[in-house]
């Protein structure tokens, strides 16, 4: 029987090991290699992990059991999973195998078999770190590139452990190209089948598994009986999973029962039982799966018990939503532990399980119990500290860190890791001096008192320490060296008007900036020397070299960002051109160190954009996209470690998090901005649509695209689908502020102001979208009054009546009939009070100093990212899409917020014009504020429009016209398009009042050239045609206006019905009139003047 055969083999191996241990290991390489193989085979679960790839946490990636984070990577749980050894020695056989092979490789570096065995032992010893195994395999292939076995193992590790399908495909192809004989190996067919399953091709995978079965039945060329049995079990497990994927559950059940009978009593029976549990979960029977797993735990093997408990925990959590049972599974491991070592490992797993279900308090208790069993485990104190930080108990967290640092059993590497963690905590507590002292002491311990030569491992540690020290000084001095270049404006004279405080404070800040620069320069110098030595060393692995190149590139980018800080460079007397040149040199140095560094290319592209070199910017963006398409993101060999994401969504109230914004996404957004700057709206929309197909929850891109589609008259056709896609991809979409903002923007453009305010109100409290939502809400409340301010002095009663009807229609469209004009302005003032808190220094600081602010000066507000500039839009002076890209971010935000404050006062003045609520002195103050804005930016159109409205309220109509004519003569700027459109339409009203219809028509057509959806332009054209008694043509113009308002403007509906009536199209007039009355029951005139007359005209 298989069981008796396995027992006999085990006894033979034990006796062979005893004999082999008497021999000198280095005397015979072949004997040493054979002895190491025997050690590896002694660890049954290590062998199973090589052959079966069975994940201990729920059946492997894609399995029905899902995954769980209960086991702690790198902790003692891995040792417990291997179970007790059979040799009677205390040392782990896998570790002994690894040590022997390492010695053998050092003695015989050209022995390919030793390298291959070292890779297998490394995978068994470090199953959660497959990058280590890949490094060994690549060294093996350097020795012998034609080793098909190494390619085959690399394919298996890349696919099963890293999820790298591209590398797995390449390795399989290389193995087959080097040796056609691999087609007779079950491992080849098994890996190929798993790859096909990962590529969503289960039918082909099943055919490949059938070929694997044939190769197993055809002969025993696959190795020993143990490996033969393992390969057979792995094929059976993968066959069942493939049948489950094909929904052929009855066949999968038959396959499971056949495998159970075949492997009953063998070492691989556990794998079959686990597979059966997966099948039951797929059939919707989690209770049956739990019973099967109970039978696994009753087999008496501690490793099997841990395997079953972790799988049961996954079922309880994912399929039964029972957090209590999830924790109970790991608690049972603690109670069943036989000795202190097993209990210590089980307590670590229990603590990690509590962290997984967002219960850090219980996790701390479990970790403390484990620390009592092993006080020398300093890293456990670190885990306690991190758990305490998550509960905001910073005092106790620091106590644990301090105690861990005093531990005599702490290695140098662990000591530096502890210092880094503690320094980050001290930065959060704003204890900068203590953090700097802690890191400086760490540099002294490593011998880095000066830039002396030391080992590569010390270089990596010390560079990381210096970079963290730079973060300390950056936080202390108010700089944001690592926040990324934000495109800030540079004053030509390099002055620093915005500084406040005394000379002592300024000296302290200058000292912090000097220390920051010194730390970055030291890190850059050390890393450059280390990288140069690695490049000249041919034995360095490519992954290690690439990682060091990436570090060098990041340091150069941080130095460039420091030079881009106006505060830092003003102290050195650098002007704008000098600072830009320094930044350019640093970015180019970063690309020299890491030519494929997408982050540096993106930053350099932003700098090119700011300097107006659009071609160079486009070239860098296209390069980033090409690089990202042909290689994986720089996330290391493990790729995107998101195996636990499904649990996080289930457990922690995580709404799905922000969408991933990598270099490729930034490049696509920048290409869209380039197209926008070149007035190529179609190209910009194409780039944004491409991005949203990949990431439907990229709300920055969605907000931009909504406005572009509105101007292209494609809003109704495409935006609802985009919103549905974003909603489908967003967990708890009703509470997602970014999605609510985009919905509010869409409803505002469709003239459904009630729904717009509803969604914007949901987003206004958010830290990222609150500022944009508040500005848009304020616009909705004050916009009707600003439009009417330009119609106060019209002498013709019909035009005045239409203006009043239009304002009444907008009020009816808001759906808040109980809110009068005074209350609307009062609400806008209250909302601006919230906006003022968010805007902070953008509203209070002198305009001359705002261009010199860094990203850190506005960090933590809704204006600290591109959402403000790319999302806000509105009439009467708000920013539009892309505005942030044309000038300094902070300066533009400040101009817009201050203009909005003036507009609110003007709306208040209009509403209370009879009471004269705004005095002449207050008007003079507002005028001076707008003059200051225009001095900061002479072409800021919203401020000009606000001044024109102010002149109208002061009965200075001629000044208002002159200001509007000045705007009309300016070249159209897409980043301020809505302000230009409003100016065109207001001046057209003046021309109509003076009977200059040709000039008014020209302005309307000019407006429609830039915005095909401008309902005001179509309405004004209809008004001109109506005055010329061309009722048929007027009706067509009003019909377009009615369509572009989405039947949301009763005044436009009235004009359309009236012109239908004049054109003797009575049926259409009745339909439109009924629609207006249905939507706006309180709207006057239409029932008596249109509906009744049209119905009487239809009668014979």
């Amino acid at each position: 029987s298989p069981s008796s055969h396995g027992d006999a083999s085990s006894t033979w191996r034990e006796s062979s090991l005893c004999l082999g241990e008497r021999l000198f290991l280095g005397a015979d390489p072949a004997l040493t290699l054979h002895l190491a193989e025997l050690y590896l085979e002694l660890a049954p679960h290590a062998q199973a992990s090589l052959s079966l790839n069975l994940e201990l946490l729920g059946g492997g990636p894609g399995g029905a059991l899902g995954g769980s984070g209960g086991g702690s990577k790198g902790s003692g749980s891995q040792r417990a999973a291997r179970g007790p050894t059979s040799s009677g020695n205390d040392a782990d056989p896998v570790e002994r195998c690894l040590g022997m092979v390492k010695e053998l490789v050092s003695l015989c570096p050209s022995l390919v078999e030793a390298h291959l065995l070292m890779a297998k032992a490394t995978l068994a010893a470090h199953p959660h770190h497959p990058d280590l195994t890949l490094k060994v395999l690549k060294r093996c292939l350097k020795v012998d590139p034609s080793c098909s076995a190494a390619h085959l193992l690399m394919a298996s590790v890349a696919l099963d452990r890293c999820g790298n399908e591209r590398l797995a495909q390449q390795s399989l192809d290389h193995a087959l190209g080097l040796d056609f004989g691999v087609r007779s190996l079950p491992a080849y067919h098994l890996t190929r089948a798993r790859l096909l399953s990962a590529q969503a091709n289960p039918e082909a995978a099943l055919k490949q598994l059938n070929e694997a079965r044939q190769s197993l039945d055809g002969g025993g060329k696959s190795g020993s009986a143990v490996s033969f049995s393992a390969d057979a079990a792995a094929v059976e497990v993968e066959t069942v999973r493939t049948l489950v994927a094909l929904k052929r559950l009855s066949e999968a059940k038959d396959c499971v029962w056949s495998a159970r009978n075949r492997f009953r009593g063998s070492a691989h029976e556990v794998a079959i039982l686990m597979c059966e549990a997966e099948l039951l979960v797929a059939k919707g029977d989690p209770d049956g799966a739990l019973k099967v797993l109970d039978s696994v735990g009753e087999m008496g093997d501690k490793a099997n018990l841990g395997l079953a408990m972790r799988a049961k925990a996954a079922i309880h959590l994912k399929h039964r939503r029972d957090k209590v049972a999830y924790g109970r599974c790991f608690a049972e491991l603690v109670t069943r532990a036989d000795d202190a070592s097993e209990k210590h490992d089980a307590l670590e797993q229990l603590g990690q399980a509590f962290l997984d279900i967002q219960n850090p308090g219980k996790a701390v208790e479990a970790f403390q119990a484990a620390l009592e069993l092993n006080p020398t485990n300093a890293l456990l104190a670190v885990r306690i500290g991190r758990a305490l930080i998550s509960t905001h108990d910073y005092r106790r967290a620091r106590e644990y860190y301090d105690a861990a640092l005093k531990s005599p059993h702490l290695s140098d590497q662990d000591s530096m890791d502890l210092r880094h963690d503690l320094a980050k905590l001290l930065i959060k507590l704003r204890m900068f001096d203590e953090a700097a002292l802690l890191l400086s002491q760490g540099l002294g311990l490593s011998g880095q008192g000066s830039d002396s030569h030391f080992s590569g491992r010390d270089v990596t540690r010390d560079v990381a320490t210096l970079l963290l020290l730079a973060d300390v000084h950056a936080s202390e001095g108010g700089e944001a060296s690592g926040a990324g270049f934000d495109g800030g404006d540079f004053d030509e004279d390099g002055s620093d008007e915005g500084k406040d405080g005394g000379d002592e404070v300024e000296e302290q800040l200058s000292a912090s900036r000097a220390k920051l620069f010194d730390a970055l320069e030291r890190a850059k110098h050390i890393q450059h020397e280390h990288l140069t030595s690695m490049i000249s060393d041919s034995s360095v692995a490519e992954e290690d070299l690439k990682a060091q190149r990436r570090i060098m590139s990041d340091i150069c980018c941080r130095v460039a960002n420091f030079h881009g800080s106006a505060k830092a460079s003003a102290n050195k007397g650098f002007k704008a051109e000098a600072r830009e040149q320094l930044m350019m040199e640093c970015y180019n140095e970063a690309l020299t160190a890491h030519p494929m560094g997408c982050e540096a290319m993106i930053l350099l592209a932003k700098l090119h954009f700011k300097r107006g070199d659009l071609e160079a910017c486009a070239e860098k963006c296209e390069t980033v996209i090409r690089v990202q398409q042909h290689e994986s993101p720089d996330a290391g060999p493990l790729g995107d470690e998101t195996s636990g994401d499904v649990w996080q969504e289930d457990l922690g109230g995580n709404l799905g998090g922000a969408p991933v914004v990598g270099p490729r996404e930034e490049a696509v957004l920048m290409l869209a901005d380039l197209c926008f700057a070149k007035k190529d709206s179609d190209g910009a929309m194409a780039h944004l649509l491409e991005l949203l197909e990949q990431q439907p929850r990229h709300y920055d891109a969605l907000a931009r695209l909504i406005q572009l589609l509105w101007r292209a008259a494609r809003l109704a056709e495409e935006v609802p689908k985009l919103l549905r896609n974003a909603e489908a991809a967003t967990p708890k979409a009703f509470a997602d502020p970014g999605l609510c903002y985009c919905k509010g923007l869409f409803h505002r453009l469709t003239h459904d102001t009630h729904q717009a305010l509803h969604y914007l109100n949901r987003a206004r409290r958010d830290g990222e979208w609150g500022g944009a939502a508040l500005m848009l809400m304020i616009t909705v409340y004050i916009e009707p009054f600003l439009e009417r301010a330009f119609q106060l002095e019209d002498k013709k009663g019909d035009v005045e009546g239409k203006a009043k009807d239009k304002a009444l229609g907008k009020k009816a469209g808001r759906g808040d009939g109980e809110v009068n004009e005074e209350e609307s302005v009062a609400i806008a003032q209250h909302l601006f009070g919230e906006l003022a808190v968010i805007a902070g220094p953008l509203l209070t600081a002198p305009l001359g100093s705002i261009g010199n602010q860094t990203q850190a000066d506005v960090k933590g507000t809704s204006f600290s990212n591109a959402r403000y500039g790319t999302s806000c839009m509105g009439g009467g002076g708000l920013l539009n899409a892309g505005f942030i890209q044309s000038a300094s971010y902070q300066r533009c935000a400040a101009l817009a917020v201050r203009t909005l404050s003036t507009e609110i006062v003007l709306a208040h003045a209009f509403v209370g014009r009879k009471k004269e609520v705004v005095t002449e002195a207050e008007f003079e103050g507002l005028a001076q504020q707008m003059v200051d804005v225009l001095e900061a930016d002479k072409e800021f159109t919203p401020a000009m429009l606000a001044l024109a409205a102010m002149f109208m309220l002061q009965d200075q109509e001629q000044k208002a016209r002159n200001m509007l004519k000045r705007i009309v003569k300016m070249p159209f700027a897409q980043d301020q398009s809505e302000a230009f459109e409003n100016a065109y339409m207001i001046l057209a009203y003046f021309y109509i009042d003076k009977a200059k219809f040709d000039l008014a028509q020209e302005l309307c057509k000019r407006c429609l050239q830039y915005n095909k959806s401008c309902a005001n332009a179509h309405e004004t054209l209809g008004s001109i045609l109506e005055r010329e008694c061309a009722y048929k043509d007027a009706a067509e113009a009003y019909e377009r206006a009615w369509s572009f308002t989405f039947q949301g403007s009763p005044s436009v509906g009235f004009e359309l019905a009236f012109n239908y009536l004049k054109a003797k199209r009575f049926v259409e007039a009745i339909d439109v009139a009924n629609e207006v009355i249905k939507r706006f029951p309180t709207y006057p005139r239409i029932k008596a003047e249109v509906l009744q007359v049209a119905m009487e005209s239809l009668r014979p």
Side-chain angles (χ1 to χ4, degrees):
S1 68
S3 177
S4 59
H5 176 77
D7 294 340
S9 298
S10 178
T11 303
W12 176 83
R13 287 193 201 93
E14 290 182 21
S15 61
S16 299
L17 288 177
C18 294
L19 178 62
E21 287 175 349
R22 300 189 186 98
L23 300 176
F24 178 62
L25 297 180
D28 189 346
L31 181 60
T32 303
L33 188 64
H34 178 63
L35 186 60
E37 289 177 346
L38 294 178
Y39 271 124
L40 184 60
E41 289 183 0
L42 264 181
H45 289 280
Q47 180 68 22
S49 68
L50 292 174
S51 302
L52 293 171
N53 187 36
L54 182 63
E55 291 290 330
L56 299 182
L57 304 182
L65 292 179
S68 169
S72 57
K73 295 181 181 180
S75 70
S77 60
Q78 296 177 17
R79 296 189 302 271
R82 298 191 191 110
T85 64
S86 303
S87 62
N89 297 314
D90 295 333
D92 190 336
V94 176
E95 296 294 343
R96 295 179 69 179
C97 169
L98 194 57
M100 294 175 63
V101 176
K102 285 182 179 179
E103 182 181 353
L104 183 59
V105 167
S106 64
L107 294 174
C108 305
S110 300
L111 189 59
V112 178
E113 291 80 2
H115 285 281
L116 192 59
L117 184 58
M118 184 176 176
K120 295 179 181 179
T122 302
L123 180 61
H126 307 285
H128 296 292
H129 297 281
D131 53 319
L132 302 177
T133 306
L134 292 178
K135 289 179 182 179
V136 176
L137 287 171
K138 289 184 178 181
R139 286 198 296 267
C140 176
L141 290 174
K142 278 188 177 181
V143 175
D144 183 9
S146 63
C147 181
S148 59
H151 284 293
L152 201 57
L153 182 57
M154 180 178 289
S156 178
V157 174
L159 179 63
D160 299 330
R161 301 289 179 170
C162 304
N164 192 336
E165 298 175 15
R166 184 173 61 88
L167 178 59
Q169 182 73 54
Q170 292 175 353
S171 299
L172 282 175
D173 293 341
H174 281 308
L176 184 60
L178 293 169
D179 182 8
F180 284 110
V182 298
R183 290 180 297 182
S184 63
L185 299 177
Y188 170 79
H189 296 291
L190 183 62
T191 306
R192 178 75 70 180
R194 285 172 176 162
L195 179 61
L196 291 169
S197 296
Q199 295 172 346
N201 192 357
E203 292 284 355
L206 190 59
K207 293 180 181 179
Q208 200 76 40
L209 290 169
N210 289 332
E211 293 184 17
R213 286 185 170 187
Q214 293 175 4
S215 66
L216 286 168
D217 296 338
K221 293 184 179 181
S222 57
S224 65
V226 174
S227 62
F228 180 87
S229 178
D231 289 336
V235 170
E236 296 296 333
V237 169
E238 194 62 33
T239 301
V240 173
R241 290 178 179 171
T242 305
L243 290 171
V244 169
L246 292 170
K247 305 299 182 182
R248 294 158 61 173
L249 301 182
S250 60
E251 295 181 42
K253 181 180 178 181
D254 295 339
C255 185
V256 164
W257 280 103
S258 174
R260 283 194 64 174
N261 294 329
R262 179 178 179 183
F263 294 98
R264 190 180 306 277
S266 70
H268 306 292
E269 183 181 8
V270 174
I272 305 301
L273 292 174
M274 291 292 299
C275 186
E276 182 181 3
E278 289 189 36
L279 174 60
L280 291 171
V281 170
K283 294 172 66 175
D285 185 12
D287 294 333
L290 291 174
K291 292 180 180 178
V292 172
L293 293 173
D294 287 336
S295 66
V296 174
E298 293 171 358
M299 290 184 175
D301 191 341
K302 290 292 183 181
N304 291 340
L305 176 62
L307 176 68
M309 285 300 176
R310 283 187 285 275
K312 286 172 63 177
I315 295 176
H316 282 302
L317 190 60
K318 183 176 181 180
H319 301 282
R320 302 184 62 166
R321 311 288 177 173
D322 191 345
K323 296 182 182 180
V324 176
Y326 175 78
R328 191 184 301 123
C329 290
F330 291 97
E332 188 173 347
L333 287 176
V334 176
T335 59
R336 293 196 181 188
D338 292 333
D339 53 30
S341 177
E342 288 184 9
K343 189 172 184 180
H344 173 272
D345 295 340
L347 283 169
E348 279 196 67
Q349 297 177 52
L350 178 61
Q352 184 62 43
F354 281 128
L355 287 179
D356 290 340
I357 58 176
Q358 309 297 317
N359 192 345
K362 292 286 189 181
V364 169
E365 294 177 4
F367 288 142
Q368 285 176 335
L371 188 61
E372 291 176 359
L373 293 173
N374 185 10
T376 63
N377 190 348
L379 295 182
L380 197 54
V382 176
R383 302 182 71 181
I384 296 175
R386 291 175 179 173
L388 289 171
I389 289 175
S390 66
T391 63
H392 305 286
D393 192 348
Y394 300 127
R395 182 185 60 80
R396 290 180 61 199
R398 185 180 178 185
E399 290 176 357
Y400 273 101
Y401 280 122
D402 289 337
L405 280 174
K406 296 177 183 177
S407 173
H409 306 283
L410 202 62
S411 65
D412 291 342
Q413 177 66 39
D414 293 339
S415 175
M416 291 305 298
D417 292 341
L418 273 172
R419 290 179 184 275
H420 290 178
D421 271 12
L422 181 54
K424 293 174 184 177
L425 174 60
L426 294 174
I427 292 174
K428 184 177 293 187
L429 297 175
R430 304 187 65 80
M431 303 172 70
F432 303 120
D433 292 338
E434 294 186 33
L437 178 61
L438 180 71
L439 294 172
S440 299
Q441 290 174 348
L443 291 172
L445 290 175
S446 66
Q448 216 285 309
S450 62
D451 295 343
S452 57
H453 180 74
F454 39 84
S455 67
R457 186 176 179 183
D458 290 336
V459 169
T460 303
R461 286 205 305 259
D462 287 334
V463 168
T465 304
L466 285 168
L467 293 178
L468 189 54
L469 184 61
D471 289 337
V472 173
H473 296 309
S475 301
E476 183 181 12
E479 299 294 338
S481 63
F485 174 61
D486 61 352
D489 253 353
F490 302 129
D491 282 353
E492 297 300 323
D493 57 357
S495 63
D496 190 7
E497 302 177 28
K499 65 181 181 180
D500 53 1
D503 294 337
E504 183 179 350
V505 174
E506 185 60 31
E507 289 178 3
Q508 182 179 357
L509 295 179
S510 299
S512 297
R513 290 191 285 269
K515 293 177 182 177
L516 164 62
F517 183 71
D518 178 67
L520 290 175
E521 282 294 313
R522 288 173 63 192
K524 179 181 173 183
H525 174 69
I526 296 171
Q527 184 65 23
H528 180 267
E529 288 190 348
H530 180 49
L531 181 60
T532 302
S533 65
M534 291 186 67
I535 292 174
S536 60
D537 187 357
S538 60
S539 63
V540 175
E542 186 65 29
E543 288 79 8
D544 295 337
L545 183 60
K546 185 176 180 180
Q548 296 304 316
R549 287 182 179 276
R550 191 182 303 118
I551 293 173
M552 183 64 190
S553 176
D554 293 342
I555 295 173
C556 292
C557 291
R558 293 186 65 172
V559 175
N561 297 337
F562 175 84
H563 289 310
S565 167
K567 286 182 180 178
S569 300
N571 295 338
K572 297 179 181 252
F574 292 152
K575 292 188 177 181
E577 295 82 0
R579 281 182 268 167
E580 289 181 354
Q581 187 60 35
L582 285 172
M583 295 174 66
M584 189 77 70
E585 292 175 0
C586 290
Y587 289 140
N588 287 328
E589 189 175 356
L591 290 176
T592 301
H594 186 30
M596 295 294 103
C598 294
E599 291 79 5
M601 279 190 272
I602 286 292
L603 293 172
L604 185 57
K606 290 181 179 180
L607 184 57
H608 283 311
F609 192 103
K610 186 213 171 287
R611 302 181 72 181
D613 192 351
L614 303 185
E615 296 300 327
C617 177
E619 180 184 354
K620 291 299 179 186
C621 292
E622 291 168 356
T623 303
V624 170
I625 294 175
R626 287 197 302 270
V627 170
Q628 290 286 297
Q629 286 176 343
H630 289 87
E631 69 176 31
S632 304
D634 292 339
L638 286 177
D640 186 16
E641 296 185 3
T642 56
S643 60
D645 286 353
V646 63
W647 306 111
Q648 295 300 326
E649 292 179 6
D650 289 336
L651 303 176
N654 185 5
L655 298 181
V660 178
V661 181
R664 184 179 183 277
E665 289 73 20
E666 288 194 57
V668 173
L669 277 178
M670 198 172 299
L671 286 175
D673 290 335
L674 286 171
C675 294
F676 193 80
K678 297 176 182 178
K679 300 182 180 180
D680 181 10
S681 297
D682 292 337
M685 285 188 289
H687 286 300
L688 294 174
L689 283 169
E690 175 190 357
L691 177 57
L692 288 172
E693 286 180 2
Q694 302 294 327
Q695 293 195 19
R697 294 178 56 242
H698 199 300
Y699 300 127
D700 290 336
L702 182 57
R704 298 188 195 192
L705 185 58
I706 287 174
Q707 297 179 61
L708 291 175
L709 290 172
W710 173 58
R711 299 188 182 283
R714 294 162 54 187
L715 189 70
E717 294 81 2
E718 301 196 31
V719 173
K721 178 183 177 181
L722 294 172
L723 290 175
R724 286 194 300 270
N725 292 342
E727 189 170 346
T730 307
K732 301 182 181 179
F734 68 92
D736 192 310
L739 181 58
C740 288
Y741 176 82
C742 292
K743 286 184 176 181
L745 177 62
F746 170 71
H747 286 294
R748 193 248 172 178
L749 296 177
T750 58
H751 293 257
D752 188 355
T753 52
H754 176 70
Q755 284 295 316
L757 290 173
H758 171 73
Y759 284 111
L760 292 172
N761 189 56
R762 290 184 178 181
R764 74 183 238 250
R765 303 290 187 186
D766 183 64
E768 294 181 79
W769 293 94
L774 283 169
M775 293 189 75
L776 204 52
M777 291 179 72
I778 293 170
T779 303
V780 171
Y781 278 107
I782 67 174
E783 188 178 35
F785 310 127
L786 295 177
E787 289 185 2
R788 290 174 59 191
F790 289 97
Q791 309 256 351
L792 283 177
E793 296 302 320
D794 280 282
K795 305 302 181 184
K796 297 186 178 180
D798 58 339
V799 176
E800 173 70 12
K802 289 178 183 179
K804 290 181 179 179
D805 286 347
K806 184 184 295 187
L808 181 61
K810 289 198 173 186
K811 181 178 178 181
R814 261 202 320 269
D816 55 353
E818 72 280 359
V819 179
N820 56 32
E821 293 180 342
E822 290 80 5
E823 289 176 338
S824 294
V825 175
I827 292 173
Q829 291 173 335
H830 174 75
L831 293 173
F832 188 81
E834 297 182 13
L835 183 65
V837 175
I838 295 175
L842 298 179
L843 189 62
T844 58
L847 284 172
S849 67
I850 292 178
N852 292 329
Q853 288 178 309
T854 64
Q855 189 79 1
D857 297 314
V858 291
K859 190 175 181 181
T861 71
S862 295
F863 300 96
S864 62
N865 51 49
R867 289 183 174 86
Y868 171 81
T870 60
S871 300
C872 284
M873 55 80 59
L878 297 188
L879 292 184
N880 199 330
F883 186 82
I884 188 173
Q885 305 296 343
S886 65
S888 169
Y889 161 71
Q890 294 88 5
R891 190 185 298 272
C892 296
L895 298 181
V897 174
R898 296 175 194 218
T899 303
L900 183 61
S901 68
T902 300
E903 292 172 346
I904 294 175
V905 177
L906 294 178
H908 180 56
F910 171 81
V911 172
R913 59 192 179 280
K914 295 182 180 179
K915 301 179 182 179
E916 296 184 355
V917 295
V918 179
T919 64
E920 286 298 324
E922 291 174 329
F923 273 124
E924 291 178 2
L926 293 176
Q928 184 59 45
Q929 182 172 333
M930 291 298 95
V931 169
D932 293 341
V933 169
L934 290 174
E935 286 180 353
D937 186 349
K938 297 179 181 179
E939 297 183 351
F940 192 66
T941 312
M944 298 181 188
L945 205 57
L947 275 176
M950 187 184 306
F951 291 145
M952 288 297 300
L953 290 173
Q954 292 177 303
D955 298 331
Q956 300 178 19
E957 181 179 327
Q958 188 58 42
K959 287 187 177 181
R961 289 185 182 179
N962 292 338
M963 184 62 69
L964 293 171
K965 290 178 181 179
R966 177 183 170 186
I967 297 174
V968 169
K969 291 178 181 178
M970 292 168 56
F972 184 85
Q974 292 207 33
D975 47 28
Q976 303 176 55
S977 55
E978 191 152 341
F980 275 95
E981 294 163 13
N982 288 338
Y984 295 159
M985 291 298 96
I986 293 169
L987 189 58
Y989 297 153
F990 282 122
Y991 285 146
I992 292 174
D993 185 44
K994 300 298 182 181
K996 298 180 179 180
F997 299 139
D998 54 341
L999 295 178
Q1001 283 182 319
E1002 181 183 348
L1003 285 174
C1004 291
K1005 292 177 181 178
R1006 187 174 175 183
C1007 182
L1008 291 172
Q1009 177 184 353
Y1010 301 114
N1011 183 4
K1012 298 177 183 178
S1013 295
C1014 185
N1016 279 343
H1018 290 292
E1019 183 182 1
T1020 305
L1021 285 174
S1023 176
I1024 295 172
L1025 294 170
E1026 181 182 355
R1027 289 168 180 267
E1028 295 175 347
C1029 298
Y1031 298 115
K1032 181 178 179 181
D1033 295 335
E1036 292 178 357
Y1038 281 124
E1039 186 176 351
R1040 290 190 291 271
W1042 178 245
S1043 173
F1044 287 127
T1045 59
F1046 294 84
Q1047 295 79 41
S1049 173
S1051 61
V1052 175
F1054 172 83
E1055 295 295 342
L1056 176 58
F1058 181 78
N1059 281 271
Y1060 276 151
L1061 180 64
K1062 289 291 186 178
K1064 301 187 182 303
R1065 297 170 62 179
F1066 303 121
V1067 176
E1068 290 90 338
I1070 293 172
D1071 291 339
V1072 174
N1074 283 326
E1075 184 67 23
V1076 172
I1077 294 171
K1078 177 183 177 182
R1079 288 173 173 262
F1080 312 100
T1082 61
Y1083 190 75
R1085 299 173 58 190
I1086 191 168
K1087 187 173 183 179
E1089 298 182 18
V1090 177
L1091 183 59
Q1092 293 179 0
V1093 175
M1095 293 180 69
E1096 290 177 359
S1097 300
L1098 283 177
R1099 295 173 183 173

